[in-house]
Each structure stands twice: as structure tokens, then as C-alpha cells.
Amino acid sequence: MMPYSQLVVTIVIAFFITLVLGPIVIPLLHRLKVGQSIRDEGPKSHMTKSGTPTMGGLIMIAAIAITTLTSGTINKDLYVILFATIAFGLIGFIDDFIKVVLRRNLGLKAHQKLIGQIIVAVIIALYQSKVSVTGTKILIPFVQGANKYLDLGMLYVPFIAFVVVATANGVNLTDGLDGLAAGVTLIVSSFFSLVAMHWGYPSIAVFCGALTGACLGFLRFNAHPARVFMGDTGSMALGGAVATIAILMNLTLFIPIVGGIYFAETLSVMMQVASFKLTGKRIFKMSPLHHHFELSGWKETKVVVVFWSVTLLLCIIGLFGLN
């Protein structure tokens, strides 16, 4: 088992790298005038955030990469997670660049973004299907004994690819309030780091520690009132990282549990769109879900703290679901 001290050191290193990079990158983003544009149909309280630099996810990606690549605990799994993080971050970066630099508000077209995500996701799924000792079987939460695995067979690759894409977009939808996505992901990555340590995945534990430290450091600049937003660059990178971490430890079905906030945010959008198209009525005041609570009278900081708390509770539940 990986010593707790090594995990703590990894978290601290990533945390301080993020703190150092923040004051360097944020002024640069200001000079490049890559300010976030706020949707007119969004909550009116968000209009004051217009012009806040975005693409701050570059800070976290750099901190994670530097920390993991200098950790001395490197193997194929670590390279695959880094690949997923950087690849999804690159897709988000291109989207952000088109929106805030080229001033094309819609960014990448939906099908362009989806094609890129699917390609990366399939690579991850194929890798895991070849190297996993359980092959195409996935672990079922809260089930003991011989029945704790479900063999997906030929459905394994498309299922895993779907999970990766869905998680990345779920984190992207969660990134709508100051500190929300970073805080939720910090808690989720802490859960996976503990599992990785106890299950003998030292390289994954190191990555999770770096991810935790980077998210914690980023909150210094992203907590309300945010000085920088992570943008799609950051949210896509975080989503790709979380999904790949879970998949490489065969904890794919734990993502909807510990990442319940990601799931709820995505589901709220799907329900809202379906309801409006079918009935012309909206279920929520606004989607994703965090905006519904804002428009119901909750302060932004209250929504964020409640969602963090729910994530912590879900991660505790997730621990009981481990076999």
C-alpha cells in the first residue's frame, strides 16, 4: 500500500505549483483579453462576471502534469490518464479559443466536439479492455461474492466510451458557479486516491493526489468571487481525468454514485430539454440544476457548499459500496 505521506506530499506539491502559476497565468489571460461572456438568458446576478478571464484550466493541467511526471511513479496507466486529461483539455481549449479569442460564441460545433471526445474515449476503452485482469467485466457496487462482476463482452468498449464522454460533459455542465466544479472534483478525486492507495495502484494514487492538490489550489482563484474560470479547457480535462481514473480501477459504475452531482446536472438538462420539446413546459426554473436553486432564491455560495456537502456524503456512501 502506498504510504499516506507520499500522497500528502503529492497533494502539497500540486497545490503549491497551482498557487505559483495562478499569479503568472491570470494576468496573462487578462492581457490576452480572454474574458468569459455571460449568456443573456442566464441568472442576472452573473452579469457582473462578464469579462472574468477563462481558460484557467491550463493552470490545473500544468500543475497535474508537472507533479505526476516528476513523481517517480510512472507506468502505462499514468500515461493513459495524462493522455485523457490533456486530450479532453485540448478539445475544451479549442472550444474556448474559438469562443473567447475568435469571438465565435458557439465555439466548436456539437458534432465536432463529440467526435473528438468519442475518439479519445474509445482509445481509453480499448486500452482497458486489453490490460485489465477482469477483461470486459465491470465491478458492481454493493455486491459481494461471485456475482460482483458483470461481463459486458462486446458491449464493453461502447459502454466505457459512453461513460467517458458522459462524465466529461457532466463536469462541463457542473462548471457554472464559482468553485463548484473544482470543489466537487476535489472531493471525488480524494475518494479515488484513497481507493487507489488501498488497492495497490500507486501511479493512479499519485495522479489523484495531483488532481486533488491542483483543484484545491485552483479554488484560491476560482472560489467566489472568482478571479478566473477554468473554462471548457479545465472542465473537460477534469471530466476526462475522473472518468479514466475510475475505469482503470474498474470502478466505472461508481461514477454515478460519487459523481452524483455531475449526473444530476446532466440529467436536469436532459429532462428540461425533453419536457420543453414534448410539452412546451419547463421542469426547472433553469438548467443545469445549480441555476434552478439560484433562481429559487439560494445564494451562489450556498448552492456550492450544499453541492460540495452532497458530494462528500456520496463519496462516503461509495466507500461502503466497495467490495
Side-chain angles (χ1 to χ4, degrees):
M1 187 179 75
M2 176 182 173
Y4 280 103
S5 58
Q6 186 177 349
L7 178 63
V8 172
V9 168
T10 303
I11 294 172
V12 170
I13 291 173
F15 172 73
F16 278 109
I17 291 175
T18 307
L19 290 186
V20 170
L21 289 177
I24 298 172
V25 175
I26 294 173
L28 178 61
L29 294 174
H30 269 294
R31 287 196 293 272
L32 294 175
K33 297 181 179 179
V34 288
Q36 180 72 47
S37 58
I38 306 299
R39 295 181 303 164
D40 291 334
E41 64 271 21
K44 299 305 178 185
S45 60
H46 286 210
M47 297 308 294
T48 58
K49 301 182 181 185
S50 182
T52 301
T54 187
M55 300 169 70
L58 292 170
I59 299 170
M60 289 188 290
I61 294 172
I64 291 168
I66 294 170
T67 304
T68 53
L69 292 175
T70 59
S71 66
T73 311
I74 299 177
N75 60 14
K76 289 181 180 179
D77 282 354
L78 182 60
Y79 283 127
V80 168
I81 304 173
L82 270 175
F83 162 73
T85 304
I86 294 171
F88 272 95
L90 179 60
I91 293 170
F93 175 82
I94 294 171
D95 193 37
D96 283 335
F97 185 86
I98 293 172
K99 285 187 289 189
V100 301
V101 178
L102 301 184
R103 308 300 179 189
R104 286 162 46 189
N105 289 338
L106 296 179
L108 284 173
K109 294 180 180 179
H111 72 274
Q112 294 173 326
K113 195 182 301 186
L114 189 60
I115 289 171
Q117 293 172 349
I118 290 174
I119 291 172
V120 177
V122 168
I123 292 172
I124 296 165
L126 287 172
Y127 170 82
Q128 181 64 1
S129 68
K130 299 298 182 184
V131 305
S132 173
V133 295
T134 56
T136 57
K137 295 178 181 179
I138 58 174
L139 186 67
I140 304 174
F142 303 103
V143 176
Q144 303 289 332
N147 297 321
K148 66 182 181 179
Y149 289 105
L150 173 65
D151 193 347
L152 295 177
M154 62 185 298
L155 295 177
Y156 181 84
V157 170
F159 175 74
I160 294 299
F162 169 78
V163 170
V164 174
V165 173
T167 304
N169 285 288
V171 177
N172 183 241
L173 290 171
T174 303
D175 182 36
L177 300 179
D178 296 352
L180 179 56
V184 168
T185 304
L186 185 159
I187 298 167
V188 172
S189 63
S190 297
F191 166 85
F192 284 124
S193 66
L194 292 175
V195 177
M197 279 202 313
H198 286 278
W199 282 14
Y201 293 95
S203 62
I204 296 180
V206 165
F207 184 91
C208 290
L211 178 57
T212 300
C215 286
L216 183 61
F218 190 70
L219 282 174
R220 170 67 179 81
F221 312 106
N222 184 238
H224 186 76
R227 293 168 52 193
V228 66
F229 299 137
M230 67 174 69
D232 286 4
T233 305
S235 60
M236 285 291 178
L238 294 186
V242 167
T244 308
I245 289 165
I247 288 163
L248 294 190
M249 291 194 291
N250 205 12
L251 295 174
T252 309
L253 295 182
F254 280 76
I255 297 175
I257 300 174
V258 300
I261 291 297
Y262 307 145
F263 182 76
E265 297 275 31
T266 304
L267 187 61
S268 70
V269 173
M270 294 171 64
M271 291 171 62
Q272 187 86 322
V273 172
S275 177
F276 189 74
K277 286 187 175 182
L278 293 173
T279 68
K281 297 180 180 179
R282 293 179 171 84
I283 299 174
F284 304 101
K285 294 179 184 294
M286 184 179 290
S287 64
L289 188 60
H290 52 262
H291 288 323
H292 171 78
F293 288 107
E294 273 194 292
L295 295 181
S296 296
W298 288 25
K299 290 184 178 180
E300 180 175 352
T301 50
K302 178 180 179 180
V303 178
V304 170
V305 171
V306 169
F307 279 33
W308 287 356
S309 302
V310 170
T311 301
L312 179 59
L313 176 61
L314 291 173
C315 286
I316 293 172
I317 293 172
L319 290 174
F320 287 100
L322 296 170
N323 299 309

